[in-house]
Amino acid sequence: MLRLFIAVDIPEDIRTLMCGMGGSIPGARAVPTDQLHLTLKFLGDTDSGLLPDIKEALGNIECPPFKICLKRVGHFPPRGNPRVLWAGIDPAMEVTALRNKVEKALAEIGIERDHRKFSAHVTLARLKNSPLNRVTQFLAGNSLFETPTFTVREFLLYSSSLSAKGAVHTVLATFPLTH
Ligand code: 2AM
C-alpha cells in the first residue's frame, strides 16, 4: 500500500516567502517550507499494483501551463474551531480545471471521485486548540498577503509516509503541462 496524493509544487522563491507562516500561533504546526504544495487530489492508501494505471491515466491529461499567485489567508473550517491555516490561489479557475481533469482521468480507472467542493489552497499550518484571537490576529496581520505570480508547468504524483520527524513526501512521477 502507498499513501498517494497529487499536487502542484510551489516554486522555492515563493515557498521562502511563506516560511513558517502561522507557526507562532500557540498550538500551530507550520508545514515545513520545503513541503508547501497545492493538493489536487488525495488518494490515500492505494494498492501499489495500481501505480502503472494511475501514471498512465495522469500522463494522458491534456492541460496547458497557467499562471497563479497565492493570495489571502484563511482557515478551515471557516466557522468553529480552526484546524487548518491556508493561503488561497488566484485565479483558482485553471487549478480547478486541472483538478477536475485529474478526478475524471482517475475515475476512468476506477478510483473514487472526491465529491466535496474543491477549494484550491496551500496548507500553511495545522492547528490544535489554538486560541481564536491569535488566529484572528494572524489573519488580520496577513490580510494583504499576496505572492508574485508564477507559472505552473507540471503536476506531481507523490507518496507520503510517516516518520518520527513527520510526513516524508516522495515524488513518484512528474507530469508536464503542455500547449
Ligand atoms: P492539504 O494540506 O492541501 O489540505 C498530503 O498528505 C496532502 O494530502 C495533505 O497536504 C493534504 O492536503 C491532503 N490530505 C491528507 N489527508 C487528507 C484527507 N483525509 N482528505 C483529503 N486530503 C487529505
Side-chain angles (χ1 to χ4, degrees), residues 119-138:
S119 299
H121 69 276
V122 172
T123 295
L124 299 171
R126 295 177 207 285
L127 309 176
K128 199 170 178 189
N129 302 325
S130 295
L132 201 51
N133 66 326
R134 292 292 298 273
V135 177
T136 308
Q137 205 176 34
F138 171 83

Side-chain angles (χ1 to χ4, degrees), residues 3-59:
R3 190 170 187 266
L4 300 178
F5 70 102
I6 296 158
V8 163
D9 266 0
I10 310 301
E12 190 181 355
D13 54 337
I14 306 286
R15 280 191 274 117
T16 304
L17 299 176
M18 302 192 287
C19 180
M21 265 178 93
S24 62
I25 299 171
R29 201 162 31 90
V31 174
T33 310
D34 63 353
Q35 272 187 21
L36 290 164
H37 61 270
L38 192 183
T39 304
L40 296 173
K41 180 169 177 69
F42 176 73
L43 289 87
D45 286 335
T46 308
D47 182 346
S48 50
L50 278 176
L51 259 188
D53 286 354
I54 291 172
K55 287 182 185 173
E56 189 184 344
L58 296 176

Side-chain angles (χ1 to χ4, degrees), residues 92-108:
M93 201 176 65
E94 283 120 320
V95 175
T96 303
L98 175 58
R99 177 266 187 180
N100 290 343
K101 287 179 186 185
V102 167
E103 288 284 353
K104 181 168 184 284
L106 295 180
E108 280 166 8

Side-chain angles (χ1 to χ4, degrees), residues 124-173:
L124 299 171
R126 295 177 207 285
L127 309 176
K128 199 170 178 189
N129 302 325
S130 295
L132 201 51
N133 66 326
R134 292 292 298 273
V135 177
T136 308
Q137 205 176 34
F138 171 83
L139 298 187
N142 288 281
S143 61
L144 300 178
F145 174 73
E146 182 170 353
T147 70
T149 296
F150 58 95
T151 304
V152 177
R153 299 182 197 281
E154 61 185 25
F155 66 98
L156 302 101
L157 173 64
Y158 275 102
S159 70
S160 166
S161 51
L162 290 177
S163 80
K165 289 183 188 163
V168 178
H169 295 165
T170 306
V171 177
L172 301 182

